[in-house]
Amino acid sequence: MSEDWDTQDSIIARREAEALIVDVDGFEGPLDLLLTLSRTQKVDLRRISVLDLAEQYLGFIERARSLRIELAADYLVMAAWLAFLKSRLLLPPDPTEEGPSGEELAAHLAWQLERLQAMRDVAARLMGRDQKGRDFFARGAPEALAVSRKTRFEASLIDLMRAYARLRTRDDFRPYAFDRSDIYPYEAALARLSALVPGASDWTSLQAWLPEGWRGVPARQRSAIASTFAATLELAKQGQIELRQSDTFAPLHLRRKSGQ
Amino acid sequence: MDKPVTPPQSLFPAPPMAEQERMIEAILFASAEPQTLAQISARLPAGCDAAEALVHLRTRYQGRGVTLGRVGDGWAFRTAPDLGWLMQTERVETRKLSRAAIETLAIIAYHQPATRAEIEEIRGVAVSRGTIDQLLEMDWIRLGRRRMTPGRPVTFVVTEEFLDHFGLESARDLPGLKELREAGLLDARAMPGAPAPEEDDEDDSPRSGQSELFED
Amino acid sequence: MDKPVTPPQSLFPAPPMAEQERMIEAILFASAEPQTLAQISARLPAGCDAAEALVHLRTRYQGRGVTLGRVGDGWAFRTAPDLGWLMQTERVETRKLSRAAIETLAIIAYHQPATRAEIEEIRGVAVSRGTIDQLLEMDWIRLGRRRMTPGRPVTFVVTEEFLDHFGLESARDLPGLKELREAGLLDARAMPGAPAPEEDDEDDSPRSGQSELFED
């Protein structure tokens, strides 16, 4: 059937159709292609023959296939739908069959094309308007005579959404890294211990020197013990404290060095 | 002579209208961004009628090299468009928008609030990555309310910056909007036989989009 | 009638004086810097008398809210000196919100009401007191209802001010992860060999802070 149609087709139209195939990457989807094909009918979009258009489209797909041009799936879906539409339009309506008539479907397609064309037209009109920064301008030197200085923190919605996206996908690809939340830094331990040592005249277990909130939870306690222990070594080295351990793995005790 | 109405709580009479006009002129000249009536009023002394003063000011600048215009809820001075050719030095090269981005923008503007699915249905093709992103980043579109349909999709609407950029007082002034609406091209028409478009269960957000602007 | 003097080299007569005034008005309005007479003249069509037009323009703005004045060698519009007080609130320094703050804010917006512990779980690091204070002070978050769990921790929710700033109608309008990914806002470039990002919704937070790696 499409061959008959091919031979009847004028050479010019065939050339145009072939140019379309070569340019298939230039189309933004099947509707765009249909809209381009519809222009060859040289009538108002409202009076377009959807049947002819379906033929043209199917012919296009046919030729693209014969030229072994890969078409994206949505072009093929549209072809299948148009073939279905064509059969509905050509065959007398089956009274037992439910669903919309071929005419209704065709009208909807024509409307979709008209709508797409309309959106393109208004998009062009929009871009053709005078634009800020090109045709008209805002004040070039906005004044800000300051008396009160206030810091305003700025963040855009994009920043917010990106921050969230980053957080929620971080686990997918974050390289292994130490997490710092349960780390009690050595500097903090040293500062804390140095401040407390003058009051430590009696032997006290190292455990008792751990800061509030770092006891009990194993991960935190471990870190606190390590850094506090390192701090005791430093203070002992400086001669500020004495350390005592009765046995291997026995609790470590410390006190202020006598005479300090 | 009609005196400006002074609210009873103010101890001082409002400045004369000519003075109010001067103040607004100063405020709007000083700012590159449109200022809303509320923002202007907040900076004026008590008892001022910014709305009236703006009308006077706008008339005063008619036909001048700089004109006073409305941008959504705001007001701003802008140079007259016919003098744009004088401003080569100030011209900012904007990023060239792809055809897809321009069409997507137009669809959002004319159909707002529009969901991604609606944009795709109209263009007949998927919205490519980065298109929405780019328009958001340019501050030409923003998120609207979620559609109260299954899946509660996000919607997009155009911003004041969009209106300002294209010199539009409001989204109603989009070129050709009325004709499109009258031609039924802004209707939400489903494919015959397909399930009808889901109605929002919130009565105050009809699916008709822009067309509702014209409903009286 | 005195015609503007046209230099012999120009084929076209100079624009009328009123038009020259308009042009200079637009140029000075849009310029970021004061413009010298020579700079203005260079931008005007041949045959214009910028010096004379400036005199006219200056007279026109006398007593207005903005005045045309000399600044160094150049000419510029400036707020009338007596209205300087109107500009007082104008000076605002803008600084980018810190990464910690924007992340905390994002978590509250997406998960509200959110407790401090929940924020820390998602971020994987402790939230400093200052970050929360800053967001509270900016009026972007506020205290929500206490969580009915042991310790009855306080929760945080976003404010109207937040919605206003980010141009949102409600926090529920924020796109979910899936939508972010579809909009190209979320780069799904996974590390080689890493599993593909799961298609989860914002509600089912896996709450998998790295801290649990250290749990016994």
Side-chain angles (χ1 to χ4, degrees):
Chain A
M1 174 136 193
S2 80
E3 295 223 335
D4 287 352
W5 180 70
D6 248 5
T7 49
Q8 288 160 16
D9 204 359
S10 75
I11 293 170
I12 298 166
R14 221 183 309 173
R15 278 223 183 105
E16 278 174 358
E18 255 150 37
L20 288 177
I21 296 173
V22 174
D23 195 31
V24 71
D25 285 339
F27 289 106
E28 302 222 358
L31 265 192
D32 185 27
L33 173 57
L34 273 171
L35 198 55
T36 307
L37 289 170
S38 71
R39 293 204 188 98
T40 60
Q41 290 194 20
K42 298 191 169 55
V43 291
D44 191 292
L45 267 177
R46 300 206 156 192
R47 266 168 302 167
I48 196 108
S49 160
V50 171
L51 185 59
D52 288 352
L53 190 59
E55 298 268 22
Q56 280 175 279
Y57 187 93
L58 293 171
F60 169 87
I61 298 291
E62 195 85 343
R63 280 188 296 263
R65 275 189 176 149
S66 67
L67 292 169
R68 297 176 187 280
I69 289 172
E70 288 280 329
L71 289 174
D74 45 350
Y75 288 86
L76 304 178
V77 171
M78 177 62 89
W81 187 80
L82 287 173
F84 161 77
L85 174 61
K86 202 176 107 180
S87 69
R88 280 258 162 145
L89 289 170
L90 289 175
L91 299 173
D94 179 351
T96 63
E97 201 162 354
E98 296 207 350
S101 69
E103 280 71 25
E104 283 169 331
L105 292 173
H108 186 76
L109 178 62
W111 178 76
Q112 280 181 297
L113 291 174
E114 198 189 339
R115 178 173 66 175
L116 179 59
Q117 185 58 54
M119 290 324 295
R120 292 200 170 155
D121 294 344
V122 291
R125 282 174 74 179
L126 191 62
M127 299 316 282
R129 283 184 71 86
D130 291 330
Q131 293 185 31
K132 189 173 75 175
R134 190 187 75 182
D135 306 295
F136 63 90
F137 296 81
R139 181 76 198 271
E143 280 174 75
L145 305 177
V147 173
S148 61
R149 285 163 61 105
K150 204 171 99 188
T151 309
R152 192 179 67 181
F153 286 92
E154 193 41 78
S156 71
L157 183 61
I158 286 273
D159 296 336
L160 186 78
M161 295 192 298
R162 285 204 177 122
Y164 188 69
R166 190 170 63 222
L167 281 171
R168 297 309 307 278
T169 54
R170 181 186 50 186
D171 293 342
D172 296 336
F173 49 78
R174 192 169 91 156
Y176 175 78
F178 277 113
D179 199 291
R180 312 301 300 179
S181 71
D182 287 336
I183 301 293
Y184 188 65
Y186 165 72
E187 292 76 15
L190 187 62
R192 180 181 151 82
L193 217 51
S194 305
L196 294 176
V197 150
S201 47
D202 298 328
W203 288 107
T204 322
S205 155
L206 181 70
Q207 288 286 339
W209 293 88
L210 297 187
E212 203 62 46
W214 290 82
R215 294 172 223 171
V217 183
R220 289 166 77 81
Q221 177 160 315
R222 192 159 351 125
S223 170
I225 288 176
S227 45
T228 305
F229 174 62
T232 62
L233 293 180
E234 175 61 27
L235 291 179
K237 189 177 143 206
Q238 291 175 12
Q240 295 195 43
I241 60 166
E242 296 176 308
L243 289 170
R244 186 180 78 182
Q245 190 178 30
S246 55
D247 200 356
T248 316
F249 300 123
L252 199 63
H253 287 83
L254 63 101
R255 71 171 178 194
R256 185 184 71 203
K257 189 155 190 182
S258 42
Q260 284 285 317
Chain B
M1 283 289 286
D2 52 346
K3 279 185 61 181
V5 186
T6 313
Q9 70 269 26
S10 171
L11 286 172
F12 304 99
M17 188 46 75
E19 194 57 21
Q20 297 185 30
E21 222 188 291
R22 281 186 78 225
M23 291 176 187
I24 298 179
E25 191 178 27
I27 291 171
L28 291 180
F29 247 76
S31 173
E33 305 297 322
Q35 302 287 303
T36 65
L37 195 58
Q39 286 170 325
I40 296 167
S41 298
R43 288 167 69 174
L44 295 180
C48 284
D49 185 348
E52 196 195 328
L54 277 163
V55 172
H56 292 305
L57 199 59
R58 184 180 215 175
T59 315
R60 179 180 290 274
Y61 276 89
Q62 235 149 38
R64 308 283 322 148
V66 180
T67 59
L68 180 57
R70 270 197 99 119
V71 180
D73 291 336
W75 292 81
F77 278 117
R78 298 288 181 252
T79 63
D82 67 304
L83 299 177
W85 56 276
L86 282 166
M87 254 68 75
Q88 276 108 337
T89 3
E90 281 78 27
R91 191 157 301 168
V92 277
E93 271 325 309
T94 39
R95 242 192 310 176
K96 191 133 176 62
L97 281 179
S98 68
R99 176 171 152 182
I102 292 169
E103 284 180 18
T104 301
L105 178 66
I107 291 168
I108 293 170
Y110 285 82
H111 290 261
Q112 65 174 340
T115 66
R116 189 189 174 87
E118 285 159 1
I119 297 165
E120 297 187 336
E121 199 222 311
I122 293 172
R123 296 195 62 234
V125 70
V127 175
S128 72
R129 257 159 188 275
T131 301
I132 298 272
D133 191 3
Q134 186 185 15
L135 294 173
L136 281 168
E137 210 155 354
M138 293 175 85
D139 195 19
W140 282 358
I141 64 168
R142 64 174 180 86
L143 293 165
R145 290 170 61 167
R146 277 181 190 273
R147 186 63 51 77
M148 292 296 142
T149 51
R152 304 184 19 90
V154 297
T155 66
F156 300 99
V157 295
V158 291
T159 60
E160 293 245 318
E161 174 57 29
F162 165 87
L163 297 176
D164 191 18
H165 185 91
F166 291 99
L168 294 162
E169 285 201 7
S170 84
R172 285 166 211 245
D173 299 318
L174 284 164
L177 182 65
K178 195 158 166 282
E179 294 89 317
L180 286 182
R181 183 187 150 260
E182 278 165 4
L185 291 169
L186 299 180
D187 300 350
R189 252 185 238 180
M191 172 74 76
E198 296 279 348
E199 285 302 320
D200 265 8
D201 45 30
E202 273 183 24
D203 47 5
D204 57 344
S205 54
R207 275 191 45 101
S208 45
Q210 276 281 12
S211 47
E212 84 209 40
L213 290 174
F214 294 87
E215 237 70 77
D216 281 338
Chain C
M1 287 289 285
D2 52 347
K3 280 184 61 181
V5 188
T6 313
Q9 71 270 26
S10 171
L11 285 173
F12 304 98
M17 188 45 74
E19 194 58 20
Q20 297 185 29
E21 230 185 274
R22 279 186 83 223
M23 291 175 183
I24 298 180
E25 191 178 27
I27 290 172
L28 292 181
F29 176 85
S31 297
E33 306 288 333
Q35 300 285 299
T36 64
L37 188 60
Q39 285 171 322
I40 296 168
S41 298
R43 287 165 77 166
L44 295 182
C48 284
D49 184 347
E52 196 195 330
L54 274 166
V55 172
H56 290 304
L57 198 60
R58 186 178 209 173
T59 315
R60 183 183 285 275
Y61 275 91
Q62 232 147 40
R64 305 290 318 150
V66 281
T67 57
L68 182 56
R70 291 204 70 120
V71 180
D73 293 343
W75 291 84
F77 281 117
R78 289 288 180 255
T79 308
D82 66 309
L83 296 180
W85 59 273
L86 278 171
M87 257 29 85
Q88 280 189 0
T89 52
E90 198 70 339
R91 179 58 151 209
V92 191
E93 261 172 48
T94 24
R95 269 205 271 160
K96 266 251 177 265
L97 208 58
S98 70
R99 177 167 168 157
I102 189 91
E103 288 183 2
T104 303
L105 183 63
I107 293 167
I108 294 170
Y110 274 90
H111 292 263
Q112 66 170 347
T115 67
R116 193 191 174 89
E118 285 160 0
I119 298 165
E120 296 188 339
E121 272 180 67
I122 295 173
R123 288 198 63 223
V125 289
V127 173
S128 78
R129 177 79 230 169
T131 303
I132 299 275
D133 283 347
Q134 184 190 6
L135 294 173
L136 284 168
E137 209 165 320
M138 292 172 80
D139 197 18
W140 279 358
I141 64 168
R142 62 177 178 81
L143 292 172
R145 291 169 62 171
R146 279 180 186 275
R147 185 65 51 79
M148 290 299 140
T149 51
R152 296 177 33 83
V154 296
T155 64
F156 300 99
V157 294
V158 293
T159 61
E160 282 288 317
E161 175 63 28
F162 166 89
L163 297 175
D164 202 43
H165 179 91
F166 290 96
L168 292 165
E169 317 243 348
S170 92
R172 291 178 310 167
D173 293 328
L174 282 166
L177 270 194
K178 191 156 170 283
E179 288 164 317
L180 288 173
R181 188 172 295 124
E182 282 167 357
L185 285 169
L186 196 158
D187 238 344
R189 268 174 300 160
M191 286 277 284
E198 42 175 339
E199 295 288 317
D200 65 347
D201 192 59
E202 67 260 37
D203 296 326
D204 54 21
S205 45
R207 302 267 156 87
S208 59
Q210 288 264 356
S211 51
E212 60 198 52
L213 287 177
F214 294 88
E215 230 70 73
D216 284 352

